[in-house]
Amino acid sequence: MNIEGRNITLNGEIYAPGDKSISHRAIMLGSISEGITTIDNFLFSDDCMHTINIFKEMGIEIQVNNKQIQINGVGLYGLKKPDKKLYVGNSGTTIRIASGILAGQNFSSTIEGDSSIKKRPMERIIKPLSIMGANIASKNGNPPLTINPSKSLHSIEYFQKIASAQVKSAIMFLALYTKGETKIVQPSQSRNHTERMMKYFGIDIKEEKNTIIINSDTKAKGKDVFIPGDISSISFFLVGALILKNSHIIIRNVGYNETRIGIIDILIKMGANIKIFNKSKKNNEEIVDIEVRASKLNGVEIKGDIIPKLIDEIPIIAVACACAKGKSLIKDASELKVKESNRISAMVNNLSNMGVNIVETSDGMIIEGRDRLMANKIKSYDDHRITMSMIIAALKAKGMTNIDEISSIGTSYPDFLNTLNKLINYK
Ligand code: S3P
């Protein structure tokens, strides 16, 4: 794809697409709850369709009427043995969280994905789930995973080494198949959508600081779920509007969960003109509208407990830093190396090719901001968040940028380019 960066501004009003993390969880929890679950504003992206498909493979009736999803939940023990291997495509969230459910079944299953998934580390779920009694075989810690019925499952107290919502959620789902209380202690808080949704479905969950306690004696009952907009997906427009002169946009219906809004805190710290308004709450998740105006940004330091609250936004935050005044430092983010691509080296290579003085470190990067980026040939690394970040960077670049491949965008935001085109104006 070729993108010419000439005097572009972003202007107008858009609706945020449904949140990916919450969409996955609504399908999974709806499937193993008792009774009907409906889902509005579901994200119909490649990743979320894989979650729908694997539960259909296990006999769940999932219907789409007029964009609303209806699931006939079968309870914890109603899933059927799939006829074939469960295929998750590129979706790390699906393979990791669904493994917690599969480990509780009395049938065997194999779960696998595309070439990127085959390289993603699974030891982090295999370890805690095995301590709970799960029977999981992997290929040297990577997918495919073959999950056989357990002889006996039991609750645990688990201290997570890395703050990971996928690992925490896998444990929480398997906890529903045990007796008693499971306790998870997090090193710092990762996104808490599973906790919030399980509570909404009637499961007894307590949260104390970074500790979660699930009482498995309670059952989940189907519910009506509204999926808030995805702050990760709209972060590309947030940064685009900030760095492109004279931009002014309003984004409606954005999920504003405190464990997801690290990017807002950081951008405001950098000097961004961002207003949050129209606050409301649906099924335990906060929703807001956001207004953004082009702003002069300054360099910033990003490290420590805020990292899990903006982990998926670091590629686009790196673009903001590349256009800010002065130096920025991002550290404590080595998890980025094991996402859909190694997002540290992907961003360092791409931004450096666009003329930015940027250095890769063992757990992050150091970025020297500049006024204008330089167009060049850049790579998507088949990673949706790298691709969308670099499309925004290209709008700020002088000349014609070429991105080798853009199809990965469908993973999380199939409508990204249409929405971007609606906002683009030429001065
Ligand atoms: C997710 C958790 C995060 C995030 C991923 C989605 C989730 O991963 O990066 O895009 O939906 O639980 P980790 O759990 O590996 O931190």
Side-chain angles (χ1 to χ4, degrees), residues 103-171:
Q105 306 307 314
N106 58 9
F107 54 76
S108 300
S109 56
T110 296
I111 188 160
E112 61 173 6
D114 68 8
S115 56
S116 151
I117 278 291
K118 285 191 180 121
K119 291 187 220 134
R120 308 277 302 269
M122 293 295 140
E123 219 26 80
R124 53 184 64 195
I125 56 156
I126 296 174
K127 190 175 164 212
L129 298 183
S130 303
I131 300 173
M132 296 172 86
N135 190 344
I136 306 178
S138 70
K139 203 175 166 197
N140 300 321
N142 299 121
L145 304 178
T146 296
I147 306 179
N148 288 311
S150 158
K151 290 201 181 77
S152 91
L153 290 168
H154 46 85
S155 51
I156 50 166
E157 182 169 342
Y158 193 70
F159 292 83
Q160 285 190 289
K161 284 214 178 74
I162 310 165
S164 160
Q166 293 174 354
V167 175
K168 168 174 71 175
S169 303
I171 301 171

Side-chain angles (χ1 to χ4, degrees), residues 21 25 93 96 124 163-166 191 311-312 335 339:
S21 292
R25 286 157 170 81
T93 306
R96 293 210 179 104
R124 53 184 64 195
S164 160
Q166 293 174 354
R191 64 191 68 190
I311 189 77
D312 290 344
E335 271 298 291
K339 296 290 178 190

Side-chain angles (χ1 to χ4, degrees), residues 3 64 266 289 329 400:
I3 303 160
V64 185
I266 290 297
D289 292 342
L329 170 72
M400 187 75 86

